[in-house]
Amino acid sequence: TPSPTVAPTTPVPTQAPELSVGGFVDRCYEVALGREADDAGFDYWVSLLNEGQACGSQVGYGFIFSNEYMNKETTDEQYITDLYTLYFGREADEAGYNYWLNILKDGATREEVFAGFANSQEFYNLCEKYGVVSGYYSVGVPNDMQGGVNCFVARLYKVCLNRLPDM
């Protein structure tokens, strides 16, 4: 049987921006929205992350489910490709890509697939490189109510122990 076609890829930055909270926010703008951050938006997201009011999963959700991203009317194929790039920092492997695409075709919501990426070890590792707490995403809970406790505890780790918590 012919091998399934993988959707065109979203450009993966060839060199990661400075591995910092700001670099994490910059990559969200670049990957999800395809543009540079505006100053107000950049400051907003960086402030939320630095003050422990949001975790990486919440910030990613803010981009992937933003009106700007939704107005792009991405196909399921592009959505999966964008999640791989944003949450894993890499192109999709064929088996993983097909797995997530089939889950969507079988009736899972984009939010459920999003949670699979946001709650993964691979996203945790990516966040750790940027000094961002990945957090945990619970399907069906409004984004502004996500991560309150785990962001608070993670901030304690950062302030008191000068490190991110273990996953």
Side-chain angles (χ1 to χ4, degrees):
T1 64
S3 142
T5 305
V6 175
T9 60
T10 302
V12 177
T14 54
Q15 181 179 7
E18 181 182 343
L19 294 178
S20 65
V21 171
F24 180 84
V25 171
D26 277 339
R27 80 183 301 282
C28 289
Y29 273 96
E30 181 181 325
V31 173
L33 305 181
R35 66 177 177 86
E36 289 184 14
D38 55 279
D39 291 341
F42 177 84
D43 291 344
Y44 170 77
W45 291 114
V46 167
S47 175
L48 287 179
L49 287 166
N50 280 336
E51 294 172 14
Q53 295 176 358
C55 295
S57 59
Q58 289 172 283
V59 172
Y61 181 97
F63 282 89
I64 289 294
F65 290 99
S66 69
N67 288 335
E68 187 173 347
Y69 183 83
M70 300 296 272
N71 287 337
K72 291 169 60 173
E73 298 181 4
T74 59
T75 62
D76 286 345
E77 291 81 3
Q78 188 61 50
Y79 179 71
I80 298 298
T81 299
D82 290 347
L83 290 178
Y84 264 95
T85 306
L86 183 61
Y87 280 83
F88 296 169
R90 64 177 175 86
E91 291 184 12
D93 57 282
E94 189 172 343
Y97 174 85
N98 289 328
Y99 169 81
W100 289 111
L101 189 58
N102 286 329
I103 287 200
L104 278 174
K105 288 182 179 185
D106 288 343
T109 65
R110 284 189 174 194
E111 181 186 19
E112 291 168 332
V113 170
F114 169 86
F117 281 80
N119 297 332
S120 69
Q121 179 68 47
E122 200 165 349
F123 180 60
Y124 174 87
N125 295 343
L126 182 119
C127 285
E128 192 171 44
K129 289 178 186 175
Y130 284 92
V132 170
V133 175
S134 62
Y136 183 84
Y137 183 81
S138 298
V139 175
V141 176
N143 195 41
D144 61 350
M145 298 178 75
Q146 296 276 346
V149 172
N150 64 14
C151 287
F152 174 76
V153 170
R155 183 159 168 73
L156 287 176
Y157 267 85
K158 240 178 151 177
V159 170
C160 298
L161 302 175
N162 197 29
R163 69 175 180 90
L164 293 174
D166 301 325
M167 184 168 182

